[in-house]
Amino acid sequence: MYELGVVHRSITRPDPADVASLAPFGVATVHEAMGRTGLMRPYVRPVYPGAKVCGPAVTVLLQPGDNWMLHVAVEQLQPGDVLVAACTTESEDGFFGELLATSARAHGAAGLIIDGGCRDVAELQEMDFPVFSRAVNAKGTVKATLGSVNIPVICANAHVVPGDVVVADADGVVVVPAGRVAEVAEASRAREDNEARKRARLATGELGLDMYAMRDPLKAAGLRYVD
């Protein structure tokens, strides 16, 4: 299924202006605007409060308990990239910590999404390096088995192609195909504008029952009010 032992040096990233236009929107908005697709499993969580990131994916395929390929991937980073690390099988070992974050940041990384564990959470928070992981685990890893860098991966049930844009915040992680970034940013803006109008109406006391015209469908479904 996976190509092992390869590093693809050339990947196609979306226009940085399109990535910047997507960055202000939250994961829930982007997920809905994209037709409710691209969401990673909810077990991938920020390792500290307030962490968020948006950028093109440099993908990494790890072997369980082995972080060798993360070191290899750092060389392929460009400013604003997000490391997206999957594993050949489930593993919650601490693949990533402060030292790797320092190296990744020096080469332009904006953050990490990993279907595995990380450690040094206090240090990651202090340096404000956003990490979204399957687990927090102090258990270390070895450097012995080849995976790959910049191949398509399945990370927490989401298909990620190198150059796709990942958006992550307190609500989770969503993957936007590289060719759809501008379209999804525009749809996200339209959705937020629509929600702003709804929010203003709800703030005045208008009920969702009326704003969304729910009363007739509820009656048809058999809802009864009893005084």
Side-chain angles (χ1 to χ4, degrees):
M1 177 179 177
Y2 286 121
E3 184 181 18
L4 294 175
V6 64
V7 177
H8 291 277
R9 290 177 170 171
S10 298
I11 66 173
T12 301
R13 294 169 173 83
D15 186 329
D18 292 336
V19 178
S21 70
L22 184 67
F25 303 110
V27 168
T29 295
V30 173
H31 173 58
E32 295 282 356
M34 200 165 56
R36 298 182 183 178
T37 60
L39 203 60
M40 289 191 185
R41 291 289 305 279
Y43 61 70
V44 178
R45 304 298 304 152
V47 301
Y48 61 85
K52 60 181 180 179
V53 70
C54 174
V58 166
T59 63
V60 188
L61 181 65
L62 300 168
Q63 299 282 1
D66 193 316
N67 77 345
W68 213 3
M69 290 299 103
L70 281 168
H71 289 272
V72 174
V74 167
E75 186 179 27
Q76 305 307 315
L77 289 166
Q78 293 185 11
D81 285 345
V82 178
L83 288 164
V84 177
C87 194
T88 57
T89 191
E90 291 186 2
S91 180
E92 296 182 345
D93 293 341
F95 291 95
F96 189 90
E98 176 199 3
L99 290 179
L100 254 174
T102 300
S103 178
R105 171 161 283 170
H107 289 269
L112 167 74
I113 314 297
I114 183 168
D115 194 356
C118 85
R119 58 186 186 176
D120 300 335
V121 170
E123 291 81 2
L124 292 171
Q125 182 172 14
E126 184 177 354
M127 61 191 294
D128 196 19
F129 188 93
V131 173
F132 292 73
S133 71
R134 179 189 186 98
V136 173
N137 192 345
K139 183 181 178 183
T141 56
V142 300
K143 299 166 180 62
T145 314
L146 289 180
S148 289
V149 175
N150 280 332
I151 65 169
V153 296
I154 303 297
C155 185
N157 282 25
H159 184 248
V160 189
V161 175
D164 286 351
V165 173
V166 289
V167 182
D169 62 20
D171 286 334
V173 184
V174 65
V175 182
V176 181
R180 296 190 61 192
V181 175
E183 165 209 337
V184 173
E186 184 177 350
S188 297
R189 170 59 64 193
R191 183 174 181 83
E192 283 215 342
D193 289 346
N194 184 42
E195 288 188 350
R197 291 189 290 270
K198 292 177 180 177
R199 188 178 301 110
R201 292 170 64 182
L202 292 169
T204 68
E206 184 175 356
L207 291 170
L209 286 171
D210 299 312
M211 187 171 73
Y212 296 113
M214 295 178 180
R215 294 190 186 276
D216 288 343
L218 285 166
K219 183 178 180 181
L223 183 68
R224 296 181 299 116
Y225 288 86
V226 179
D227 295 324

